[in-house]
Amino acid sequence: MTGIGGVEMGAQAARSRALAVLRVRSRALAVALLPAAAAVILLVGGSTGHLAGGGWDVLRWVVSVLALCVLLAAAGVALVVARSRPAVTPTVTVAEESAPDLYRMVRDLADRLDVPAPSAIALTPDCDSWLEDRTHPAHGPPPAEKHHDDLAGPGGPAHRRSATAPVLVIGSPFLWWMRVGELRAVLAPVVAGTGPSAHPDIAAARRFIRGLDAAVAVASAGRRDPLSRVACAGLGWASRLLLRSCRGHAAEMERGVAAAAAERAQAVDYGLRIVAQEQVGLAYAGWDRLLTRVALPAWRMGRWPSRLDVGVVAALTELSRRDRLAEGFASRLGERPACDLLEEPGVMDEAVSLLAARLFHGGPAETGADWAPVGWEEYPEEVVDRTWRTDAARLHRVLDTLGVRRAAEDAAAGTDGPTLARVLDHLATPDAASTTPRVAGTDARAAGSDAHAAGTETENGPATPPADPDAPQPAYDDPDAPTDAPQPAYDDPAAPTDASQPAYDDPDAPTDAPQPAYDDPDAPRRPFGDSDASRPSYGDPGASLPPVGDPDTPHPPYGDPDTPHPPYGDHATPVLTTPAEGDEDDLADTTARGAALAAGLTAQLAREEAEARPAGARAPSSAPGPAAGPDGALWDDRALPLLPLQPPRTGREILTAHITAMVCCAAMDTAGAAPALDWLDGPSLLFDGARTADLAPSVLSLVESGDPGPLRAWMTELGIRPEKPVRLV
């Protein structure tokens, strides 16, 4: 009785709030009709002779024109609200032929809960599950009503299907990590939400709210001509006013729906739901770590892992082995996984992996020469090794543009290539360089580099000017090549550089131009990116819709209507990769040379990403085809990524990553190290099959204080030779 009473109370609360939303709509309609009613009264009074006279005639004309304008404006707003396409979550549709067992489980669950079954099932690369209404005409015609009694087996109950039932969206990590029973327990309160969703008042209120939200998005997009801007301003004002009036009622309505669904689902697998909720949190932790530590480096290299869901299982299994609190989770792997409910889990995993790359990184929707899939067995060589060598090559290109000497005058032949010693000598402060134990053959290079930066003389003679960018350059990939042979320049000196950067290789540059004070730690430096952006939080998967959360927190689509709305269809503003102005504390504690090198690396990365973005972020003209492909026709992907994983990297992070990459390249080429994949931490370096985990503090010591001592000691212990040239990409 308690459960039934809770269901009824939640449903009644949701219906009363839905009626309140509809009353707001009715009041808006009444206000729009009020001038017309006044005009009708004046016209009728004039025709009957009761309101005669010149003043009444003028008033009749004024009120009639006003009523006509208000009616036209109201009709325009109503038309936009009714026809605008509400935002739809990007998903991968699961056809019934490709997952009959999954559909059978969901329908059986709906029958036990005595609610309509969802009209379709879709997967999303996220750790959440919800119901989504896709019955709007802009989303295409609703699915035809079908009965699949044959799937229920002999004597099975009849299935309650509705053409207007919402779509069940399931987080793909749940299918691969959870067992069948756990997935059923997690989906029970979600499927139970189809009952309240079928109520006419709740459905009408939701359509009204989604229409207002879509109208605000249309108005925010704006137009160029003045007339369209005025029309969009009026549309936005009216839509925001209505949203503000019914926002509280809409939020309470969704809470009532979620409460009724959760109360109804208590009768289904209640004990197993408690255990399954633990798996939800674990799946989210492993999925987030897999995306940010493992998938993101591959996406940046133009490769997308084609088995992300398989990877999350490996990551969570590794987490279970490392965490003593998760020891019991590994035993679950002997049970039947939920992905067995799919006929071809590999095909579905690949489609979801491609969709994740588009949403979180902005890659194209089709495979190409610069956007190819990569398997986990190929990840160390195709992603880790290439990433390190590409970053190391970029580091040396920037050093070339800064005019940093490649080798000292008395250095041995063949050591003027891309060496780690060149980086260490340039970043080491004079005091740290004089007191730090050196590897043999690096003192002369350090003295030459310091003299070059300070413009003084060395023990071996006067400092030579920076290398001529038009002069032949040594072959970076061939340490045995003769140094006098003409080689292509490592970077194009004719390429335009950032206006704020000094021309290091121009001896005739005016001295009164603003230059960075290399020896002045208090000199202003170029600000770097803003790191205030954060990944959106996820709600309770037990809710029938995306949960409302904190009552004081705005929730889409019922958020603050005064907040600037992104272009319609864009779920998040694209994150800029160029440094943002205003962050002056990023490299405040680093050395002047490190700050200049970080600025050069940031500018170089920004140029490379700007060149690659038009081809990488362009969406195809047609939606990808099969049933397992993303629903490209249902969502607007003109601005990608829709959900950026991380804010732009700061200059300190970029410099640290490039130095770490150079150290790893030297370790692989001179000490026999190997690239590897760690499921929780991403790219890693192996020595004799063991992972090295103590490199980061040594690199940070060099970046922050210019002290290469800890890093040199670490390399000496492992037998890494920084004076040897390394192979770059």
Side-chain angles (χ1 to χ4, degrees):
M1 295 298 295
T2 304
I4 298 300
V7 173
E8 292 299 329
M9 290 180 59
Q12 290 295 337
R15 292 168 188 170
S16 63
R17 294 294 181 172
L19 291 176
V21 172
L22 296 178
R23 280 195 294 270
V24 172
R25 185 183 65 178
S26 300
R27 293 191 188 106
L29 179 60
V31 171
L33 294 177
L34 186 60
V40 169
I41 293 174
L42 292 175
L43 291 173
V44 172
S47 63
T48 57
H50 291 82
L51 301 176
W56 288 108
D57 292 337
V58 173
L59 183 60
R60 270 191 291 271
W61 277 105
V62 172
V63 174
S64 298
V65 172
L66 177 62
L68 181 61
C69 294
V70 171
L71 287 177
L72 290 177
V77 172
L79 185 63
V80 173
V81 170
R83 295 184 63 86
S84 295
R85 185 179 68 174
V88 174
T89 306
T91 56
V92 174
T93 301
V94 181
E96 187 167 353
E97 311 82 58
S98 62
D101 292 341
L102 180 61
Y103 273 82
R104 184 184 300 112
M105 184 192 74
V106 171
R107 289 174 185 151
D108 179 69
L109 193 59
D111 288 333
R112 290 188 58 184
L113 295 171
D114 194 23
V115 295
S119 59
I121 299 177
L123 299 183
T124 181
D126 200 353
C127 291
D128 205 350
S129 298
W130 63 88
L131 294 173
E132 188 164 275
D133 186 4
R134 295 183 178 178
T135 58
H136 192 275
H139 298 154
E145 184 175 356
K146 296 180 181 180
H147 296 275
H148 300 274
D149 297 342
D150 55 328
L151 294 179
H159 301 288
R160 300 175 56 186
R161 298 299 305 273
S162 173
T164 60
V167 175
L168 175 61
V169 181
I170 305 175
S172 63
F174 293 165
L175 278 175
W176 269 260
W177 174 244
M178 289 186 174
R179 310 298 101 179
V180 174
E182 294 169 349
L183 180 66
R184 179 188 180 91
V186 167
L187 294 181
V190 184
V191 175
T194 59
S197 299
H199 192 274
D201 294 334
I202 296 177
R206 283 176 169 174
R207 285 195 300 270
F208 180 58
I209 293 296
R210 287 195 300 269
L212 289 177
D213 185 67
V216 171
V218 171
S220 300
R223 298 295 186 271
R224 294 183 178 180
D225 55 288
L227 183 60
S228 297
R229 284 200 298 267
V230 172
C232 288
L235 173 64
W237 175 83
S239 301
R240 291 186 180 94
L241 179 62
L242 292 175
L243 272 178
R244 191 181 300 111
S245 301
C246 58
R247 179 180 56 186
H249 298 300
E252 292 299 328
M253 177 185 68
E254 296 302 332
R255 288 191 181 95
V257 171
E263 192 71 24
R264 182 181 295 271
Q266 286 186 359
V268 179
D269 300 333
Y270 179 75
L272 189 57
R273 284 176 56 196
I274 300 176
V275 179
Q277 288 301 323
E278 299 178 358
Q279 305 304 319
V280 171
L282 188 64
Y284 173 77
W287 181 250
D288 183 76
R289 203 171 181 97
L290 180 76
L291 292 181
T292 55
R293 302 292 183 89
V294 178
L296 190 58
W299 294 338
R300 288 172 176 164
M301 289 298 301
R303 307 295 298 272
W304 55 277
S306 58
R307 294 293 186 269
L308 282 180
D309 291 305
V310 173
V312 77
V313 175
L316 292 174
T317 305
E318 181 66 20
L319 180 63
S320 301
R321 293 171 180 170
R322 296 184 187 181
D323 190 355
R324 290 183 300 174
L325 298 178
E327 290 178 355
F329 295 153
S331 61
R332 303 168 44 261
L333 300 180
E335 304 175 12
R336 185 190 181 193
C339 63
D340 282 355
L341 300 174
L342 304 174
E343 291 292 318
E344 297 180 347
V347 175
M348 203 65 62
D349 192 3
E350 184 173 355
V352 173
S353 300
L354 181 57
L355 178 59
R358 300 192 68 196
L359 295 180
F360 300 123
H361 183 68
E366 295 177 352
T367 300
D370 298 329
W371 188 246
V374 60
W376 294 124
E377 65 281 355
E378 304 169 351
Y379 188 94
E381 292 295 332
E382 295 294 332
V383 176
V384 179
D385 184 82
R386 286 183 56 198
T387 299
W388 286 342
R389 297 190 186 278
T390 301
D391 288 350
R394 185 182 300 109
L395 176 63
H396 281 278
R397 283 199 301 270
V398 174
L399 288 175
D400 287 342
T401 61
L402 294 178
V404 177
R405 189 192 306 275
R406 294 179 180 171
E409 293 181 353
D410 58 347
T415 60
D416 55 351
T419 62
L420 177 59
R422 180 195 189 194
V423 180
L424 300 179
D425 295 341
H426 175 68
L427 292 178
T429 58
D431 294 339
S434 61
T435 58
T436 301
R438 301 290 186 124
V439 179
T442 60
D443 292 335
R445 283 187 297 278
S449 178
D450 293 340
H452 177 275
T456 59
E457 295 186 356
T458 64
E459 298 177 344
N460 301 321
T464 58
D468 185 1
D470 296 328
Q473 305 291 335
Y476 271 49
D477 293 336
D478 187 5
D480 299 329
T483 57
D484 56 350
Q487 300 290 343
Y490 206 70
D491 191 30
D492 185 6
T497 57
D498 193 290
S500 61
Q501 299 294 333
Y504 288 96
D505 49 3
D506 186 5
D508 299 328
T511 57
D512 56 351
Q515 305 285 343
Y518 276 83
D519 297 328
D520 184 7
D522 298 327
R525 298 181 175 88
R526 183 179 181 183
F528 290 85
D530 184 8
S531 59
D532 292 336
S534 60
R535 191 181 181 194
S537 58
Y538 299 96
D540 182 7
S544 60
L545 288 175
V548 179
D550 190 355
D552 299 329
T553 302
H555 188 275
Y558 317 121
D560 188 358
D562 298 327
T563 303
H565 203 289
Y568 180 63
D570 301 344
H571 294 253
T573 303
V575 174
L576 299 179
T577 55
T578 55
E581 298 295 333
D583 188 3
E584 300 179 355
D585 299 329
D586 177 36
L587 295 173
D589 298 330
T590 60
T591 63
R593 293 183 181 180
L597 184 57
L601 290 171
T602 304
Q604 179 68 21
L605 269 174
R607 285 192 293 267
E608 293 177 2
E609 293 180 0
E611 294 174 356
R613 184 173 296 113
R618 184 175 61 247
S621 57
S622 60
D631 302 327
L634 299 181
W635 55 285
D636 189 354
D637 55 358
R638 290 172 295 180
L640 294 171
L642 299 180
L643 302 171
L645 284 179
Q646 292 179 335
R649 291 184 294 177
T650 63
R652 184 197 301 266
E653 294 171 344
I654 291 175
L655 179 59
T656 302
H658 282 72
I659 295 176
T660 302
M662 187 62 199
V663 173
C664 293
C665 290
M668 291 187 294
D669 292 349
T670 66
L677 167 63
D678 187 277
W679 290 111
L680 297 177
D681 296 326
S684 60
L685 188 66
L686 296 183
F687 274 94
D688 297 329
R691 178 189 172 197
T692 59
D694 53 353
L695 176 58
S698 303
V699 175
L700 288 177
S701 177
L702 175 65
V703 171
E704 295 176 353
S705 61
D707 181 13
L711 185 56
R712 290 186 182 275
W714 183 84
M715 292 188 299
T716 302
E717 180 181 357
L718 296 176
I720 302 174
R721 303 184 62 180
E723 75 278 4
K724 292 292 186 180
V726 299
R727 178 176 59 87
L728 303 180
V729 174

